[in-house]
Amino acid sequence: MDILFERDRFFIGDPEKPQAEITFHQVKDGQIEVDHTFVDESLRGQGIAGKLVEAVAHYAREQGLKVSATCSYAHKVLQHERYSDIFAA
């Protein structure tokens, strides 16, 4: 199951109706904010949402960005120490 990238989101499945996705937007220079995470019921329990957050983290590191989140799931995950270099509380 490949995680695909399209402007301001990572997703799995059909771009028009993804089975899972995480979306973000730029809030200021050097910072993006995750605002939505979705995983279809058929994929839940497989760690997909965590993999989507990891995809955003990888992207942020490559681009030299900080990451905040209004999505409660992403906010909780990003508080982990492995994201301390990019997390903007």
Side-chain angles (χ1 to χ4, degrees):
M1 205 170 317
D2 292 332
I3 296 177
L4 306 170
F5 176 72
E6 184 177 83
R7 182 186 150 99
D8 297 343
R9 75 176 179 151
F10 287 90
F11 66 96
I12 294 172
D14 183 340
E16 298 300 316
K17 190 166 171 35
Q19 293 176 289
E21 75 175 344
I22 190 166
T23 60
F24 57 91
H25 60 276
Q26 183 172 342
V27 290
K28 60 183 177 181
D29 282 346
Q31 184 176 331
I32 58 175
E33 182 175 83
V34 174
D35 56 12
H36 174 71
T37 304
F38 164 77
V39 177
D40 186 78
E41 232 177 82
S42 65
L43 296 178
R44 291 186 186 157
Q46 300 177 41
I48 301 293
K51 290 176 183 174
L52 291 169
V53 171
E54 185 58 38
V56 171
H58 181 73
Y59 172 81
R61 287 180 178 119
E62 283 186 336
Q63 301 297 315
L65 302 170
K66 294 289 186 182
V67 183
S68 60
T70 55
C71 166
S72 59
Y73 174 79
H75 188 268
K76 182 178 179 180
V77 173
L78 288 166
Q79 291 181 60
H80 190 278
E81 67 182 51
R82 74 174 165 254
Y83 300 115
S84 64
D85 62 319
I86 58 166
F87 183 56

